[in-house]
Amino acid sequence: MSNIWHPYTQHKTAFPEVEIARAKNTLLYTPDGKTIIDAVSSWWVNPYGHGNERLAKAIYEQILHLDQIIFAGFTHQPAIQLAERLLTILPSNQQKIFFSDNGSTAVEVAMKMAIQYFFNLGKPQCTLIAFEGAYHGDTFGAMAAGERGKFFAPFESYTFSVKIIPAPTPGKELESETALEKILQENASCCFLFEPLVQGAGGMIMHSPEALDRLIALCKSHDALTIADEVMTGFGRTGKNFACDYLEQQPDLVCMSKCLTGGILPMSITSCTAELFDAFYSDDKAKTLFHGHSYTGNPVGCAAALTSIEMLLEPEMQANLARIAENNSLFAAKIAENRKLSRIQFRGTILALEIASGEGNNYFSSIRDKMYDHFLQRGILLRPLGNVLYIMPPYCITDAELNTVYNAILEFLEAG
């Protein structure tokens, strides 16, 4: 056993860690030269493949020019340019950009902004609302808004209360809407936090834009803020720049990370409306948002993010998004009648398959390790969420590599 404590790992029962020596495009290489298709984009962060020379060049040049500077009282062009560029592709009501360092923290920042917004206005509204089965990160605020299960059981008594509503999955739209309206009528609600269209770690649970639009509209009618957690869904994952691009309604705050820097450097962003920012803009220093990190607005991360956004918007990359989505659609149709699957859903580059194990969507399902090993033995990295198998590949994945993954899934279903 090494000296490293790995994340989300029960070291007594886990498979031995696989050492990776190098990576290029979709392929990971072990020290002995074996290859593994990275079909989950290395925990959803790597959209353009590994070893991208264009991103590497931007990072190298920025390091030589300006590597790091305190972001309180100072600024720099990469951050200014990134903020300006992001605002051209975010929902049109977004006007201010706040930098932090990871997805969980982006959510924490958004929640703090929402809570303090009402506090600064002198009308505290304390009720927070989130989806059943949500996952927003592992810091305490994010845990409070996430699914209360075995993940966070040791910390239950340390987290604050959040009102939970059913996600508006197919058939549950009215139930979700009714539950939200009841909470809004009975409580002075601060904000509704949601993963738009796809609940990631909760099992890739998907809902429609129309259902989410109605929930956001309800919040607006009751003066509650809305926070879109686009940490996973942002930057092309759902087929559009942001999952919110499918909506008619616009959230008040948006959280971003994962693909932001092209999967290379840790960085996150929380954006918000001018109206929200104005509640902090005051001669009273007590109304300041007292939040920051040592590496806030890191110039190198900003340079990577700028290049990453340029790459995302290019016609070739947009064609890749459409190609992967079409392949997922065709494969989903091919396995639509498979009795070993209780759910097949896809949105853009994300394809989710729930194995009919009799346990429902269960993160601790014993079938998870069986699936993980099956694919790894065939040179494919898939990291099932319990009995939910999903694909979320880099956008440079080839049709041949996708077919290798699909065929391995068919093999598992036929053998299972």
Side-chain angles (χ1 to χ4, degrees), residues 114-125 189-190 223-225:
I115 292 167
Q116 191 174 341
Y117 167 77
F118 290 107
F119 182 88
N120 283 0
L121 293 179
K123 52 174 188 178
Q125 297 183 198
S189 298
C190 166
D223 194 30
L225 297 174

Side-chain angles (χ1 to χ4, degrees), residues 238-255:
T238 62
K240 296 193 177 186
N241 293 336
F242 294 97
C244 287
D245 291 339
Y246 289 93
L247 303 175
E248 295 294 329
Q249 298 288 336
Q250 295 182 327
D252 299 292
L253 302 101
V254 180
C255 307

Side-chain angles (χ1 to χ4, degrees), residues 48-89:
Y48 313 118
H50 298 277
N52 187 280
E53 294 179 5
R54 187 167 163 188
L55 283 166
K57 182 174 184 289
I59 290 168
Y60 173 74
E61 290 178 350
Q62 184 58 50
I63 288 174
L64 295 179
H65 190 69
L66 176 65
D67 52 2
Q68 167 64 5
I69 182 67
I70 183 173
F71 209 56
F74 289 83
T75 191
H76 50 78
Q77 281 301 308
I80 293 169
Q81 292 169 16
L82 176 56
E84 291 174 348
R85 191 71 184 93
L86 261 178
L87 292 176
T88 67
I89 63 172

Side-chain angles (χ1 to χ4, degrees), residues 90-406:
L90 282 166
S92 60
N93 66 338
Q94 301 298 290
Q95 294 296 317
K96 294 292 180 179
I97 298 294
F98 189 94
F99 292 91
S100 53
D101 57 358
N102 65 77
S104 180
T105 304
V107 172
E108 294 271 334
V109 169
M111 295 170 77
K112 289 175 73 173
M113 285 178 173
I115 292 167
Q116 191 174 341
Y117 167 77
F118 290 107
F119 182 88
N120 283 0
L121 293 179
K123 52 174 188 178
Q125 297 183 198
C126 302
T127 300
L128 284 79
I129 308 165
F131 279 145
E132 189 176 70
Y135 174 83
H136 297 287
D138 302 330
T139 51
F140 273 83
M143 282 195 296
E147 177 72 14
R148 304 298 179 93
K150 293 181 180 179
F151 268 26
F152 304 142
F155 316 106
E156 180 74 26
S157 63
Y158 296 93
T159 57
F160 50 80
S161 176
V162 174
K163 299 286 187 182
I164 301 299
I165 65 171
T169 52
K172 287 191 173 183
E173 294 91 345
L174 182 58
E175 182 183 349
S176 179
E177 193 173 339
T178 301
L180 177 61
E181 187 165 25
K182 186 175 189 295
I183 293 169
L184 291 169
Q185 289 174 344
E186 296 177 355
N187 301 269
S189 298
C190 166
C191 63
F192 168 41
L193 169 63
F194 55 87
E195 298 163 88
L197 307 192
V198 186
Q199 291 182 265
M204 298 297 163
I205 304 297
M206 302 187 191
H207 53 264
S208 73
E210 294 77 16
L212 185 55
D213 267 328
R214 290 193 290 272
L215 299 181
I216 296 173
L218 264 178
C219 289
K220 291 185 184 298
S221 70
H222 287 81
D223 194 30
L225 297 174
T226 52
I227 304 172
D229 178 355
E230 292 254 19
V231 168
M232 182 272 283
T233 53
F235 304 102
R237 279 293 170 210
T238 62
K240 296 193 177 186
N241 293 336
F242 294 97
C244 287
D245 291 339
Y246 289 93
L247 303 175
E248 295 294 329
Q249 298 288 336
Q250 295 182 327
D252 299 292
L253 302 101
V254 180
C255 307
M256 295 155 269
S257 190
K258 294 290 185 187
C259 293
L260 175 61
T261 67
I264 299 179
L265 296 169
M267 174 175 277
S268 65
I269 283 173
T270 304
S271 67
C272 69
T273 63
E275 179 184 2
L276 189 143
F277 175 80
D278 287 345
F280 294 79
Y281 191 72
S282 171
D283 291 323
D284 182 358
K285 290 187 177 180
K287 291 188 175 182
T288 302
L289 178 65
F290 291 104
H291 192 104
H293 301 270
S294 300
Y295 288 92
T296 292
N298 173 258
V300 183
C302 289
L306 270 167
T307 303
S308 176
I309 293 171
E310 288 175 4
M311 294 170 64
L312 172 66
L313 300 178
E314 290 172 350
E316 180 183 359
M317 199 62 65
Q318 292 296 309
N320 278 343
L321 295 178
R323 175 179 57 82
I324 295 169
E326 176 65 15
N327 276 311
N328 282 344
S329 176
L330 292 172
F331 182 65
K334 182 176 182 178
I335 58 175
E337 303 303 320
N338 193 299
R339 295 184 178 181
K340 293 180 180 177
L341 297 173
S342 58
R343 175 170 61 96
I344 303 170
Q345 289 183 298
F346 56 92
R347 171 76 70 173
T349 69
I350 307 168
L351 172 67
L353 312 172
E354 185 173 325
I355 308 298
S357 62
E359 305 171 288
N361 178 9
N362 178 14
Y363 185 88
F364 292 94
S365 172
S366 59
I367 201 171
R368 182 267 177 201
D369 289 347
K370 184 178 178 181
M371 287 194 287
Y372 180 81
D373 187 55
H374 169 88
F375 293 106
L376 201 56
Q377 291 298 323
R378 287 153 182 79
I380 302 167
L381 171 57
L382 291 177
R383 189 176 168 83
L385 297 160
N387 61 323
V388 176
L389 182 65
Y390 70 90
I391 301 171
M392 197 186 300
Y395 306 152
C396 64
I397 194 168
T398 66
D399 288 347
E401 288 169 334
L402 271 174
N403 284 327
T404 296
V405 177
Y406 294 151

